[in-house]
Amino acid sequence: MSAFSDALSVSSSGLRAQADRLRVVSENIANVDTPGYRRKTLPFELGEGSDGVREVQAGDTRLDRSDLERIWDPQHPLADPAGFYDGTNVDLIVELADAREAQRSYEANLKMFEQTRQMSSNLMDLLRRG
């Protein structure tokens, strides 16, 4: 039964990691028009769970250091004397693609979790009959 619990542990770690990724992507999308906002990224790392099984873990949130968009609007309260202010470096298309990828990865981990649970249940039924 250890193999089943290991598989459940791995898939649940993937679920947590993708949920964290979706949270970061959601923050980026929510701030797509916020002046001075820098895009956040969330790297994944391999680590060990409490039971010694290698698991996927979300790393520390990082800021994208690419240049912020320079926007010319002399009427904006944040504009400098030349009429420019710093926009954001969030690209909505990239964020939507990241969100879709995270959603599909989440669904794949959920399917693995459900199949492992079903196999474990079927094995228990077989053992009870025998």
Side-chain angles (χ1 to χ4, degrees), residues 1 38 56 73 79 88 96 98 100 105 113 118 125 128:
M1 293 297 277
R38 289 195 178 273
V56 177
D73 182 0
T88 181
L96 292 174
D98 283 353
R100 179 166 288 192
S105 295
F113 188 90
Q118 184 63 40
D125 288 344
R128 279 188 219 132

Side-chain angles (χ1 to χ4, degrees), residues 26-108:
S26 298
E27 289 176 15
N28 289 340
I29 291 172
N31 288 290
V32 73
D33 291 326
T34 304
Y37 181 83
R38 289 195 178 273
R39 177 178 186 256
K40 294 178 184 177
T41 60
L42 186 69
F44 290 152
E45 303 166 350
L46 284 177
E48 282 197 25
S50 58
D51 51 2
V53 176
R54 291 182 61 101
E55 297 179 342
V56 177
Q57 299 171 345
D60 294 332
T61 304
R62 298 179 185 162
L63 294 179
D64 182 347
R65 290 293 175 188
S66 62
D67 292 335
L68 297 175
E69 180 183 13
R70 294 287 290 163
I71 300 170
W72 186 78
D73 182 0
Q75 302 301 318
H76 195 279
L78 296 177
D80 61 16
F84 288 93
Y85 69 94
D86 289 334
T88 181
N89 61 356
V90 175
D91 183 350
L92 188 58
I93 301 300
V94 170
E95 298 307 319
L96 292 174
D98 283 353
R100 179 166 288 192
E101 182 183 357
Q103 176 187 5
R104 289 189 177 169
S105 295
Y106 185 93
E107 290 169 356

Side-chain angles (χ1 to χ4, degrees), residues 12-22 42 44 56-58 106:
S12 65
S13 74
L15 288 169
R16 281 190 302 274
Q18 293 302 337
D20 289 344
R21 181 178 177 200
L22 277 171
L42 186 69
F44 290 152
V56 177
Q57 299 171 345
Y106 185 93

Side-chain angles (χ1 to χ4, degrees), residues 114-129:
E114 290 170 352
Q115 288 178 343
T116 303
R117 193 176 53 82
Q118 184 63 40
M119 287 185 338
S120 175
S121 177
N122 290 345
L123 177 61
M124 294 303 283
D125 288 344
L126 284 172
L127 290 174
R128 279 188 219 132
R129 291 181 196 162

